[in-house]
Amino acid sequence: GLLLPPSSPPNPPWPITPPLPPQLPPQPKPPALWPLPHDVKLDMLRGACRTAGANQGSFDTIVGLSELECQLRCESNDMAVCVAFEHIQHGPGLIDHTCELHREPVRFVYKIAGHVCRIKPLHHLTAAFEGILHVEGVANSPTPPFPPSLPPSSPPFVPSPPLLPPTSPPPPSPL
């Protein structure tokens, strides 16, 4: 008779591991934006960066950067120079984006629509943050007393209700 070749080769003395799929290089995670500063209630604050004394501080302005590009520019900046950045979006196009690289520690955020202030996440910088500014250019100082109101020289004008002609009842409808 004919000898048929064995259907499978004889087992080798070592175990064969299946070939590993080619390893993909790990994809770099997109860098995250620094956290927004928050107040004592841990509300995230959006607005413009303000330094001690509620001033705008000193900063460099670059036009046409996204918020993330603005942060990367601040990160790559010399450590002692950029401590926070403010990103302002005036409109839909990138040309409407303004990036401010701040050189002084940010103490406050002044709420303005379209502005975002992010502080470099280093303890001595985030610890200097004090909170929200409610009035532009006034640090959280007690509100000044209002000047006493002067007595009115004449009684205030109060409009009287308009006189309506007397209404007569509608005529009875014929049944």
Side-chain angles (χ1 to χ4, degrees):
L2 287 171
L3 282 171
L4 292 171
S7 58
S8 63
N11 284 340
W14 64 90
I16 291 184
T17 53
L20 290 169
Q23 287 288 46
L24 292 170
Q27 292 300 312
K29 276 201 201 113
L33 285 166
W34 299 336
L36 288 169
H38 51 75
D39 60 13
V40 287
K41 298 196 296 269
L42 300 183
D43 289 333
M44 294 297 161
L45 303 177
R46 298 181 88 83
C49 300
R50 292 293 179 263
T51 59
N55 296 309
Q56 295 191 14
S58 51
F59 52 85
D60 300 309
T61 302
I62 309 167
V63 175
L65 293 184
S66 73
E67 192 173 347
L68 188 58
E69 289 168 327
C70 186
Q71 175 177 300
L72 293 172
R73 194 68 64 97
C74 184
E75 277 180 324
S76 65
N77 210 304
D78 177 27
M79 207 60 235
V81 177
C82 186
V83 297
F85 73 91
E86 181 176 332
H87 184 260
I88 306 140
Q89 189 168 346
H90 312 278
L94 251 188
I95 194 67
D96 302 314
H97 292 230
T98 304
C99 169
E100 294 176 0
L101 302 176
H102 280 261
R103 295 193 285 265
E104 295 173 42
V106 170
R107 295 290 181 86
F108 309 100
V109 163
Y110 177 60
K111 279 193 165 177
I112 309 179
H115 291 240
V116 176
C117 176
R118 294 185 189 269
I119 301 170
K120 199 170 257 185
L122 293 170
H123 180 72
H124 69 282
L125 295 176
T126 52
F129 183 74
E130 294 177 39
I132 188 102
L133 266 189
H134 296 287
V135 183
E136 171 75 293
V138 178
N140 296 355
S141 57
T143 51
F146 289 107
S149 56
L150 297 169
S153 51
S154 61
F157 173 72
V158 178
S160 55
L163 292 171
L164 296 171
T167 55
S168 55
S173 57
L175 294 174

